Amino acid sequence: DDFTSLSSFGSVDQVAQQTILPRGELNMESTKSVMLKAESKKNAYIFDYKVTPPNLSETHYRTVFYLAQGATGGAGAVLVTLTAQCP
C-alpha cells in the first residue's frame, strides 16, 4: 500500500526506459530491445515491445503495469505486472 498512482514510478516513457528496454544492459548481454508502443491507459501502463537475445530469434512481448487497490483498504495501491509472449 505504498503507491497512490503509477506516476510514483515515473511517466510511461521513463518506466519503459528504466525497466522494459534495457534488458540486455541489465543482464550484461548484447540483447536488442525495440519498443513498439508505450501508453498510459485506465490506471495502467501498457508496453508492446520486441526482444532479440544474442543467437536467438526475436520474441514479441506485451507487459502491463497496473495499480490495484490494496487489500488493507489503505490509501495506497499494490503494483501488479503481467507479461505475455505474443505471436
Side-chain angles (χ1 to χ4, degrees):
D1 290 354
D2 292 336
F3 314 107
T4 56
S5 71
L6 279 173
S7 62
S8 299
F9 301 97
S11 70
V12 67
D13 292 326
Q14 289 171 324
V15 172
Q17 291 297 323
Q18 295 170 4
T19 63
I20 303 294
L21 286 181
R23 296 182 83 88
E25 291 94 21
L26 292 174
N27 296 325
M28 303 299 222
E29 298 174 346
S30 60
T31 300
K32 178 184 173 190
S33 300
V34 177
M35 183 64 64
L36 302 174
K37 187 175 184 179
E39 64 180 328
S40 178
K41 189 175 185 178
K42 294 186 179 179
N43 202 33
Y45 286 172
I46 303 166
F47 305 100
D48 188 11
Y49 57 102
K50 293 184 178 182
V51 177
T52 308
N55 303 317
L56 295 173
S57 60
E58 179 180 82
T59 306
H60 184 188
Y61 295 99
R62 291 203 176 127
T63 296
V64 177
F65 285 25
Y66 173 75
L67 282 182
Q69 255 331 96
T72 62
V78 177
L79 179 65
V80 178
T81 63
L82 173 69
T83 300
Q85 184 175 338
C86 306

